[in-house]
Amino acid sequence: MFGAPVARADAADSALHAARQIRDRILGHGELDIGIGLATGPVFAGNLGTDQRLEYTVIGDAVNEASRLTELAKHTPGRILASDAVIRAASEPERQYWTPHGDCSLKGRTLPTQTWVPNCFVTQRPVELPTSAGQSPKS
């Protein structure tokens, strides 16, 4: 997570760059059984719990969106899906690494979410995304 507990002007760039680096390092080890979802928006971030057990956590719609994108990313070439809002928040130099992937329906949302993937994993035709977890592809 970028931008908490201290706000960062480059949170979107940092998150997008880190996602590509994580994917590349895991790929370098011969494994790519991951999914990385990126979303942006206001969240509650802080310590929750009791005196005996405190945990730092984040709660909010952006967290839910990122979680659902992570699940879809597991079935996407390159294993990374970024929401359109993250790409729009990024700098032009970072945006050049990304290309539109298509719209998808995410559980709990009425409007489709436009997704983006890193340029190096663009396919000639859209990948069919799973529909079993309350998510369905949009054409």
Side-chain angles (χ1 to χ4, degrees):
M1 182 175 75
F2 295 86
V6 178
R8 296 175 59 126
D10 67 343
D13 283 17
S14 296
L16 291 165
H17 181 75
R20 290 193 327 274
Q21 282 192 322
I22 291 167
R23 188 264 333 271
D24 292 348
R25 287 187 181 175
I26 291 172
L27 181 61
H29 290 287
E31 298 178 26
L32 194 56
D33 193 19
I34 62 166
I36 301 172
L38 298 128
T40 188
V43 299
F44 171 81
N47 291 316
L48 293 178
T50 66
D51 290 339
Q52 292 78 29
R53 182 176 177 174
L54 281 178
E55 292 186 15
Y56 187 81
T57 191
V58 290
I59 300 170
D61 185 57
V63 177
N64 296 335
E65 180 181 22
S67 174
R68 290 179 175 110
L69 288 171
T70 296
E71 286 304 310
L72 291 176
K74 293 176 182 177
H75 307 281
T76 303
R79 303 294 179 104
I80 304 173
L81 280 176
S83 72
D84 187 59
V86 175
I87 300 300
R88 283 186 282 115
S91 68
E92 184 57 38
E94 179 60 36
R95 278 187 236 139
Q96 293 177 12
Y97 290 102
W98 299 84
T99 192
H101 181 66
D103 291 349
C104 64
S105 293
L106 300 179
K107 183 178 178 183
R109 293 177 166 263
T110 56
L111 298 175
T113 299
Q114 183 178 358
T115 59
W116 294 69
V117 294
N119 289 333
C120 60
F121 285 96
V122 176
T123 59
Q124 294 298 332
R125 50 191 192 113
V127 174
E128 284 296 316
L129 301 175
T131 59
S132 61
Q135 305 157 351
S136 61
K138 287 280 185 183
S139 301

